[in-house]
Amino acid sequence: MTTAVSLHGVRKDFGNLTALSDVTLEIEDNEFFTLLGPSGCGKTTLLRMIAGFEGATAGTIRLFGDEIEHLPPNKRPVNTVFQNYALFPHMNVAENIGFSLRMLGWTKTEIQTRVNEMVEMVQLGALVDRKPSQISGGQQQRVALARAMAPRPKVLLLDEPLSALDLKLRQEMRSELKRLQRETGITFIFVTHDQEEALSMSDRIAVMSDGELQQIGTPFEIYEHPNNRFIADFIGETNMMAATVDTVDGLQVVCHLEGGQNLNALANCQIMVGATGILSLRPERLSISKTGSTSEVLKGELGDRVYLGTDTQFIVNLSGGLKLKVRMQNSFFQGSDFKTGDTVFVTVADGAARFLVD
Amino acid sequence: MAAGTGSGSTVSAIFSPVRIWLLLPSWVSIGFFLLLPVLLMLVYSFLTKEFRGGVIWEFSLASYDQFLFDRGLFGDAPAVMKWTYINIFIRSILQATGATILCLLIGFPTAYFIATRPIQSRTMWLFLITVPYWVNLLIRTVSMKFLIRDTGPLNELLLNIGLIDAPLHVINTNFAVQLGLFYSYLPFMVLPIYASVERYNFTFSEVASDLYASKITILWSIILPVVKPGIIAGSILVFVPSLGAFLAPDLLGGAKTFMIGSLVEDQFKGNAGNWPFGAAVSMILLSLVLVVLMFYVRAQQRDQT
């Protein structure tokens, strides 16, 4: 595996404001890599630095081993798909797609061939003569993609490219993007604040907040093994409760909640008996029943319920004033058997509880 | 058109009684003060001249004949194509073109500069552009005359810093006229271009740069085409009044740079005193301008489809 982009100690200040502090990460060739974080976390700044629109205050950026910090955007073999596409309004679809090739001095026939190839790849055949104002948002998105991929960049940067599309189109484009990445073998660096997008498309995700990298890992690792409170909270939904450790066996711990309930959990690092932290329980890894079982069980009283179509979400009030969200799939579950005020038992799936040191 | 309002309701809204009454003042003003004078001139151009101004109400093609043909001193020689007035037209068009190009060369960077300032300071810059125009055009043109004459400050300065050995002869040249027109109409170029550049999405420049375009290419193939409507509007706003201007040519140009405006002025105010001929020259100028504008509108429509 070769490294496509390598960032080392990258820092970016805007005046007194630090947008990025000490970012070090390596992105493999042929990888679908996602920078995920809330708005203002520095993910777009990082992308713009790789593209060359912003210079780094400190640190080095390498592209396939070559330092590129001194190169202006038009000398870097990376291309960007911008958030609002920014298709040139005075050029038709074919001219937009072929723009970079003209800049690179390709011959007319070479450009023609490549443009046709790209048009076919993103399925825009009939629209080549249209102006951007004459095609839909989804089609503009495809043109923007084709335009950025036409010069065969080594790395494609995508700055929230799906955020302007409606839900249905967005879901369609996810698999489309994934397909394009697989077929072309180009390294994709994808910026988004949408965790669902990140989880469904990425080979690896880097979660960012406040200009710092929080965790890098596969979607599975990020979701199942969040290594801090921010990630557990930001990725998906979770119940977070203060807890204290009673016994330790490697990373396997037994801790108790404020209501006195004991639970097995997996800690995010080596800890000592008596350590305090946060217990994270994903709602979909919990289930409720009317009778207790032998495994991890918490007793409580059923509160509100929210019907969500595929799922039903229950609130269970535990002793000590704790509230637990539980999500049950509606396909195998008769939610109508449960009524507000019933006494219920919450079962925690094996290995579902995470203990996160503060 | 908004999806909610069908075209039917829009049409009926235009012709609703309230609309007609509200629009009446504009229609009357435009009709009375804009169309009527032009029609009057059109009629006058086909009348017979009265010496020392005025007209005799008698149909005549003499004015148009005078514009195109030479029939000798007493009007009885065979008609020969006459170039005098046509040359004045050609010269005027060249002068106005020169002035427009000057305005464009200075106006575009100026407008671009203003449009890329922080939003709070743009108003101030725009105001500064218009400040000289609070002074009367005549005064400004006379000042320009003093500025560029052989012993004026411009030549003194250039002589003193040793850039030139002899005074530059600018006054009474074509260039002086263009300079005067340029100074008179620069804001008409700057303001529409400013409006276009302000709406320009600078992400386009970033995209182009990302797609391997150099700075010059970005200017030529992205920025200029996108702000073209502003450039064309500005060029028309400068070209049209320049074509009919008479102050700058009179004061800065001298005898060799006689332009259409001066020719017309001469017929109504000056020694010639030939109203029908003045009206005819104006009508020929107007038709020329209309033809140019029609081509522009056609081109615009083609662009949009």
Side-chain angles (χ1 to χ4, degrees):
Chain A
M1 265 284 178
T2 42
T3 305
V5 177
S6 123
L7 305 168
H8 190 82
V10 170
R11 178 190 179 84
K12 178 70 184 176
D13 295 334
F14 291 108
N16 291 329
L17 207 95
T18 301
L20 284 174
S21 50
D22 197 29
V23 171
T24 297
L25 74 93
E26 302 215 320
I27 298 166
E28 302 297 334
D29 192 14
N30 210 343
E31 188 174 26
F32 198 121
F33 191 90
T34 298
L35 295 167
L36 174 66
S39 58
C41 71
K43 55 192 193 299
T44 295
T45 305
L46 192 56
L47 199 76
R48 290 174 59 81
M49 286 165 79
I50 299 172
F53 299 127
E54 312 278 357
T57 310
T60 52
I61 301 175
R62 285 173 194 278
L63 191 74
F64 291 93
D66 300 326
E67 214 174 301
I68 53 169
E69 188 51 35
H70 60 284
L71 294 175
N74 59 342
K75 298 272 160 56
R76 297 188 185 195
V78 293
N79 293 121
T80 310
V81 178
F82 288 79
Q83 190 168 7
N84 294 313
Y85 323 141
L87 299 178
F88 303 131
H90 56 296
M91 296 183 192
N92 66 24
V93 168
E95 287 164 341
N96 262 286
I97 296 174
F99 182 81
S100 61
L101 310 178
R102 284 203 302 283
M103 295 302 113
L104 291 171
W106 289 29
T107 67
K108 270 217 166 89
T109 41
E110 282 171 343
I111 295 175
Q112 184 83 52
T113 314
R114 182 67 178 154
V115 167
N116 289 341
E117 232 175 270
M118 297 311 295
V119 161
E120 201 160 307
M121 194 176 81
V122 297
Q123 294 148 23
L124 281 170
L127 304 173
V128 285
D129 296 325
R130 301 269 190 93
K131 291 274 173 70
S133 59
Q134 296 165 323
I135 60 178
S136 72
Q139 290 162 343
Q140 289 182 27
Q141 161 75 83
R142 284 158 192 273
V143 177
L145 261 172
R147 181 176 64 176
M149 292 172 83
R152 299 195 178 91
K154 290 181 169 174
V155 175
L156 188 72
L157 310 174
L158 302 105
D159 185 7
E160 309 226 12
L162 306 182
S163 61
L165 302 178
D166 58 48
L167 183 67
K168 196 101 190 177
L169 217 52
R170 206 154 59 216
Q171 285 168 344
E172 241 175 74
M173 282 307 290
R174 277 185 206 162
S175 46
E176 180 86 9
L177 277 177
K178 194 70 196 153
R179 173 181 71 86
L180 288 175
Q181 195 267 329
R182 233 184 359 252
E183 280 176 10
T184 57
I186 296 173
T187 306
F188 275 34
I189 304 180
F190 185 86
V191 160
T192 185
H193 65 268
D194 184 329
Q195 38 143 331
E196 212 179 301
E197 245 168 57
L199 293 173
S200 62
M201 293 158 59
S202 320
D203 293 323
R204 283 195 304 153
I205 300 171
V207 184
M208 296 178 70
S209 118
D210 290 332
E212 283 177 37
L213 281 181
Q214 299 293 328
Q215 185 174 357
I216 304 175
T218 62
F220 180 83
E221 285 165 355
I222 297 276
Y223 189 81
E224 300 292 341
H225 303 274
N227 62 12
N228 64 39
R229 184 188 178 138
F230 169 81
I231 292 178
D233 192 27
F234 183 69
I235 310 286
E237 239 187 315
T238 196
N239 294 290
M240 294 210 286
M241 291 165 295
T244 311
V245 174
D246 295 326
T247 63
V248 177
D249 176 12
L251 289 178
Q252 202 66 48
V253 300
V254 176
C255 56
H256 68 268
L257 302 177
E258 279 170 352
Q261 302 90 337
N262 285 326
L263 274 176
N264 287 318
L266 193 67
N268 63 338
C269 58
Q270 289 290 340
I271 47 171
M272 313 273 281
V273 171
T276 58
I278 296 289
L279 193 71
S280 163
L281 293 168
R282 298 280 186 200
E284 76 277 12
R285 306 294 297 272
L286 305 176
S287 59
I288 54 172
S289 56
K290 288 192 165 170
T291 51
S293 68
T294 49
S295 61
E296 296 284 315
V297 168
L298 300 164
K299 193 179 158 193
E301 187 185 282
L302 200 59
D304 291 337
R305 75 170 71 193
V306 182
Y307 177 72
L308 297 169
T310 56
D311 304 319
T312 302
Q313 181 176 289
F314 297 93
I315 303 290
V316 178
N317 297 310
L318 304 181
S319 61
L322 298 173
K323 286 179 189 297
L324 211 53
K325 264 187 240 163
V326 178
R327 188 173 291 174
M328 305 280 285
Q329 263 196 10
N330 288 334
S331 46
F332 303 113
F333 176 73
Q334 292 304 113
S336 53
D337 295 348
F338 291 85
K339 297 199 168 44
T340 303
D342 285 358
T343 300
V344 291
F345 297 91
V346 179
T347 307
V348 180
D350 273 349
R354 300 272 152 219
F355 184 85
L356 306 169
V357 181
D358 269 341
Chain B
M1 190 172 293
T5 56
S7 57
S9 66
T10 312
V11 169
S12 63
I14 285 175
F15 293 106
S16 78
V18 179
R19 278 282 182 110
I20 288 180
W21 282 109
L22 285 175
L23 283 173
L24 200 63
S26 319
W27 286 9
V28 168
S29 315
I30 289 173
F32 201 79
F33 296 110
L34 206 96
L35 291 179
L36 201 62
V38 174
L39 278 177
L40 207 65
M41 279 300 111
L42 183 65
V43 173
Y44 268 37
S45 71
F46 289 106
L47 296 179
T48 309
K49 76 167 174 178
E50 170 109 75
F51 288 99
R52 299 167 199 277
V55 288
I56 299 165
W57 283 82
E58 208 169 279
F59 179 79
S60 158
L61 285 172
S63 301
Y64 292 94
D65 187 87
Q66 185 188 345
F67 186 86
L68 287 172
F69 302 110
D70 197 349
R71 291 178 191 273
L73 193 54
F74 304 103
D76 49 4
V80 181
M81 188 77 175
K82 182 165 65 180
W83 290 98
T84 322
Y85 298 125
I86 295 170
N87 280 338
I88 291 177
F89 262 67
I90 292 170
R91 187 190 301 136
S92 300
I93 289 168
L94 290 178
Q95 295 281 52
T97 307
T100 308
I101 290 170
L102 264 180
C103 280
L104 198 55
L105 287 179
I106 306 295
F108 181 81
T110 310
Y112 191 90
F113 173 84
I114 298 175
T116 49
R117 287 317 92 194
I119 203 150
Q120 309 92 314
S121 57
R122 286 181 206 165
T123 323
M124 191 252 318
W125 286 108
L126 284 178
F127 176 71
L128 286 181
I129 287 285
T130 59
V131 161
Y133 298 85
W134 295 88
V135 176
N136 183 288
L137 178 62
L138 179 69
I139 309 287
R140 277 185 287 131
T141 312
V142 171
S143 315
M144 178 66 90
K145 185 179 175 126
F146 277 106
L147 197 64
I148 60 173
R149 66 188 170 163
D150 291 359
T151 54
L154 183 70
N155 272 315
E156 301 252 320
L157 180 75
L158 291 176
L159 282 171
N160 279 336
I161 59 174
L163 221 60
I164 50 173
D165 297 325
L168 282 178
H169 188 66
V170 179
I171 197 81
N172 296 344
T173 63
N174 286 337
F175 181 67
V177 177
Q178 288 166 24
L179 211 58
L181 293 173
F182 153 76
Y183 182 37
S184 305
Y185 301 119
L186 182 63
F188 296 142
M189 184 63 92
V190 172
L191 295 177
I193 295 182
Y194 164 79
S196 281
V197 176
E198 202 204 13
R199 269 177 294 146
Y200 174 75
N201 176 0
F202 281 89
T203 310
F204 292 147
S205 299
E206 277 193 349
V207 174
S209 166
D210 189 60
L211 297 170
Y212 313 111
S214 64
K215 289 216 158 95
I216 293 173
T217 315
I218 293 172
L219 179 66
W220 270 110
S221 6
I222 308 293
I223 300 178
L224 286 179
V226 173
V227 304
K228 194 175 75 180
I231 292 175
I232 292 176
S235 300
I236 290 175
L237 287 180
V238 171
F239 183 81
V240 170
S242 294
L243 201 54
F246 57 87
L247 263 182
D250 271 5
L251 290 171
L252 302 170
K256 274 182 294 185
T257 59
F258 204 66
M259 282 175 62
I260 304 174
S262 313
L263 178 64
V264 175
E265 189 204 9
D266 226 24
Q267 308 309 317
F268 288 96
K269 280 169 65 190
N271 305 323
N274 186 342
W275 287 18
F277 183 62
V281 172
S282 300
M283 282 303 113
I284 294 166
L285 179 63
L286 181 65
S287 338
L288 265 180
V289 169
L290 282 182
V291 167
V292 172
L293 285 182
M294 241 162 56
F295 273 111
Y296 165 63
V297 171
R298 282 270 178 82
Q300 283 286 90
Q301 283 168 344
R302 244 203 327 273
D303 263 13
Q304 269 152 22
T305 53

